[in-house]
Amino acid sequence: MESNIDIKELWNRQTVPAADQSEILNKISHFRKNGLKKGIFLDVILVLTILFMIFIWIYFKPQFLSTKIGIIVGILPMCIVVAVNRKITSLYRSLDEKQSNIDYLNNLLMLKGKETFMQTKVMNLYFILLSSGILLYMYEYTLNSSFMFRLIAYSVLFLWIALNWFILRPVMIKKNRRKMDCLIRQIEKIKSQVDEF
């Protein structure tokens, strides 16, 4: 019986101003649209990057096996992220403000679990493999360079990895979790109100 009660019906039963109802429905719609846009954008960027890396392989014809392995190791995490991101995008597509609040909450919690998996395990693997791939790729092109050039090149690479790993990644994770947690709290509040009826 609970699963037949939706968010709109709950508000119609209560003495809650209409602005509150439209506010949460707008948040749901905005959250879904942003999630879809981000997912599609990420897929497009990663596929274009994969194609660019394949172009580099074909055009520059690397000689060392380490360079070829570096390109493959660099492409592999992008393929993994695209595969996981496609599942997350399909969960965003399944979110609908017309669903019952129980179904919506369950879908939202499933989405949170998938995003947490993506932001922790998948992104850790992504950065480790991508960094390894770049290191292997750079070896051939820095081998005959001066020591100073190699030092600068590898220092810039390690600085970029550290910036992404320790600063940008945690900020993005916190921002995404905060948005989702806020929406989950609102839906759980509605669910508890439904349980009282």
Side-chain angles (χ1 to χ4, degrees):
M1 178 101 174
E2 283 182 350
S3 63
N4 293 333
I5 299 174
D6 64 18
I7 295 169
K8 289 180 184 178
E9 183 180 335
L10 177 65
W11 263 291
N12 290 336
R13 285 184 180 179
Q14 296 184 12
T15 57
V16 176
D20 290 343
Q21 177 184 1
S22 63
E23 181 183 337
I24 188 122
L25 293 175
N26 284 338
K27 281 184 181 179
I28 291 169
S29 177
H30 183 69
F31 178 78
R32 182 178 180 267
K33 286 177 186 173
N34 275 351
L36 284 170
K37 284 180 193 175
K38 286 179 186 176
I40 292 168
F41 180 74
L42 181 62
D43 282 348
V44 168
I45 292 297
L46 289 175
V47 168
L48 289 174
T49 305
I50 290 168
L51 292 174
F52 180 69
M53 291 175 79
I54 292 170
F55 167 77
I56 287 173
W57 185 329
I58 293 169
Y59 186 77
F60 290 106
K61 297 178 178 53
Q63 303 300 310
F64 288 16
L65 180 61
S66 64
T67 310
K68 295 172 186 175
I69 292 171
I71 292 172
I72 292 169
V73 170
I75 289 173
L76 179 65
M78 292 181 206
C79 293
I80 293 169
V81 170
V82 168
V84 173
N85 189 53
R86 303 229 353 123
K87 290 180 183 177
I88 290 173
T89 303
S90 72
L91 284 174
Y92 273 109
R93 282 194 179 99
S94 70
L95 288 177
D96 186 5
E97 66 266 9
K98 294 179 181 102
Q99 289 178 313
S100 71
N101 57 330
I102 306 286
D103 292 338
Y104 188 84
L105 180 60
N106 289 337
N107 285 344
L108 203 57
L109 291 172
M110 190 183 323
L111 180 61
K112 181 181 180 182
K114 292 278 186 198
E115 282 199 348
T116 300
F117 175 73
M118 170 78 129
Q119 293 166 351
T120 55
K121 305 249 189 283
V122 174
M123 291 314 287
N124 290 346
L125 181 65
Y126 174 84
F127 278 112
I128 290 167
L129 288 175
L130 184 63
S131 300
S132 301
I134 292 171
L135 285 171
L136 288 168
Y137 178 81
M138 286 177 59
Y139 176 72
E140 178 177 346
Y141 299 108
T142 58
L143 183 64
N144 296 324
S145 302
S146 69
F147 174 77
M148 187 55 80
F149 178 79
R150 280 185 281 177
L151 181 67
I152 291 170
Y154 283 106
S155 296
V156 168
L157 175 63
F158 286 120
L159 185 64
W160 174 80
I161 292 169
L163 175 74
N164 280 294
W165 187 266
F166 296 112
I167 297 172
L168 297 177
R169 189 178 67 92
V171 167
M172 289 172 50
I173 289 171
K174 283 181 187 175
K175 182 181 172 186
N176 288 340
R177 282 188 184 165
R178 212 177 10 247
K179 285 180 185 177
M180 188 170 291
D181 287 345
C182 178
L183 197 55
I184 286 173
R185 277 193 301 275
Q186 289 177 337
I187 300 298
E188 283 176 338
K189 184 177 176 184
I190 291 168
K191 181 185 178 298
S192 69
Q193 290 173 350
V194 168
D195 291 342
E196 291 174 7
F197 276 101

